[in-house]
Amino acid sequence: EMTEKFQKTPNIVYVGSLVSSSLKLREHLEKYSGLIGKSAYFPEKGEFALALGAHLIGLEEYFEGTK
């Protein structure tokens, strides 16, 4: 199911501190994305996306435990 969804979307969003801090990696990811027919996006402040997601999951688990 995940592979099927990936094939349908025209974009790939890359986040994380390594992606944000490495111009060479972004260049390679952009090239790879193009080779597979996708557009690459690198959001500003993308290095915080993973931490924010982890925080939200932690909050959800915490509040589920207090019910």
Side-chain angles (χ1 to χ4, degrees), residues 14-17 19-20 42-51:
Y14 294 98
V15 297
S17 58
V19 173
S20 295
F42 305 94
E44 189 175 324
K45 306 288 185 194
E47 63 270 26
F48 298 109
L50 299 175

Side-chain angles (χ1 to χ4, degrees), residues 1-10 36-38:
E1 182 179 320
M2 190 173 195
T3 303
E4 193 175 299
K5 288 180 183 179
F6 180 76
Q7 290 173 349
K8 291 179 182 178
T9 184
I36 62 170
K38 309 285 183 188

Side-chain angles (χ1 to χ4, degrees), residues 13-65:
V13 179
Y14 294 98
V15 297
S17 58
L18 184 59
V19 173
S20 295
S21 65
S22 174
L23 177 60
K24 197 66 164 171
L25 178 58
R26 286 195 306 270
E27 289 172 356
H28 285 292
L29 290 171
E30 194 159 19
K31 184 177 181 178
Y32 168 75
S33 298
L35 290 172
I36 62 170
K38 309 285 183 188
S39 296
Y41 292 94
F42 305 94
E44 189 175 324
K45 306 288 185 194
E47 63 270 26
F48 298 109
L50 299 175
L52 182 58
H55 176 72
L56 292 173
I57 289 171
L59 283 176
E60 184 178 279
E61 289 176 359
Y62 172 78
F63 284 111
E64 282 179 3

